[in-house]
Amino acid sequence: MTVVAFDFDGTLSDSEMTVLLGERNGTADDMASITERAMNDEIEYAESLRQRCALLEDLPDEEAQAAFDQVELRPGAADVIAALREAGVYVAILTGGFERGVARALEKEGVEVDAIVANRLPVADGKLTGTVEGPLIEGTKDDALEVLTAVVGADRGDTIAVGDGANDLPMLQVAGLAVGFDPKPAVAPACDTIVETMAELQDVLEGEDVLD
């Protein structure tokens, strides 16, 4: 079985969840600045995520949910996901972003994936605590990809990773095929091929006989 692992923010979606959340309490510019540094590998990812989540302390959870409701898949992403699943491919989303935003974006397009590995924003007394929990804070996407291949009985050579930022490098470096989706300059050298649209990605997958 082929496994295709997608990053979410910047890849399947052109939304940036922490920025959408930051727009709810006036910290969006700070969020964007920290995100950019992390994606260019100028700051360690786990530290950048903690810094961004700390800016969200005391944000009412209903405001957080309103931000998650704004998260959308980029044009063509739902079609690629649906085609992969119809072809019997195991589709996973591995993201340092947040489960609720990913789930909402998929729900709006009426598509499902086989696995979502993502982080969570704890809530206490109806407000975000400013902390973050989940497997992709200190954990890296290569480890998550290894677990998925073991679960489904796939060979690592049959994996395809699609991502754009520095935190995608671990899975891009171990996947059988590394696809950069408009990747950051620090990421492009690790990619076997680069695409800028979902239509181009579909062409690559057809060329690899993953899709008919």
Side-chain angles (χ1 to χ4, degrees):
M1 172 179 283
T2 301
V3 174
V4 178
F6 288 99
D7 169 51
F8 190 78
D9 292 300
T11 301
L12 283 178
S13 173
D14 58 8
S15 305
E16 172 53 56
M17 275 186 248
T18 53
V19 172
L20 290 174
L21 288 158
E23 287 174 349
R24 297 281 160 171
N25 70 351
T27 61
D29 288 345
D30 293 329
M31 293 285 192
S33 175
I34 297 169
T35 298
E36 187 67 16
R37 292 178 64 204
M39 291 299 98
N40 282 314
D41 212 15
E42 297 171 12
I43 181 175
E44 201 266 331
Y45 181 78
E47 175 59 24
S48 79
L49 185 58
R50 290 192 180 95
Q51 287 181 15
R52 284 176 282 168
C53 293
L55 294 172
L56 297 170
E57 185 176 1
D58 291 332
L59 181 71
D61 190 49
E62 62 265 24
E63 291 288 329
Q65 188 56 52
F68 290 135
D69 288 343
Q70 293 180 271
V71 180
E72 297 182 342
L73 297 182
R74 70 169 67 247
D79 294 334
V80 171
I81 291 170
L84 285 167
R85 298 198 78 220
E86 186 175 342
V89 174
Y90 188 94
V91 180
I93 294 173
L94 310 182
T95 177
F98 309 113
E99 287 177 351
R100 283 197 282 169
V102 174
R104 186 71 183 100
L106 293 172
E107 179 186 27
K108 284 193 285 189
E109 294 287 349
V111 292
E112 297 179 349
V113 297
D114 295 286
I116 298 172
V117 182
N119 295 323
R120 298 172 298 280
L121 293 173
V123 177
D125 300 322
K127 297 180 180 180
L128 300 191
T129 64
T131 61
V132 59
E133 298 175 348
L136 289 176
I137 304 169
E138 298 292 349
T140 52
K141 294 186 181 184
D142 56 335
D143 293 334
L145 186 57
E146 289 283 3
V147 170
L148 290 177
T149 56
V151 167
V152 303
D155 185 272
R156 195 167 75 180
D158 292 328
T159 60
I160 299 171
V162 188
D164 73 310
N167 67 321
D168 299 317
L169 277 170
M171 73 171 180
L172 291 167
Q173 289 166 342
V174 302
L177 179 69
V179 181
F181 194 97
D182 192 16
K184 302 295 189 292
V187 178
C191 300
D192 298 312
T193 188
I194 290 174
V195 300
E196 295 188 355
T197 66
M198 285 292 153
E200 289 179 14
L201 176 60
Q202 186 147 353
D203 288 344
V204 168
L205 295 171
E206 289 172 358
E208 294 290 325
D209 293 325
V210 176
L211 295 176
D212 295 329

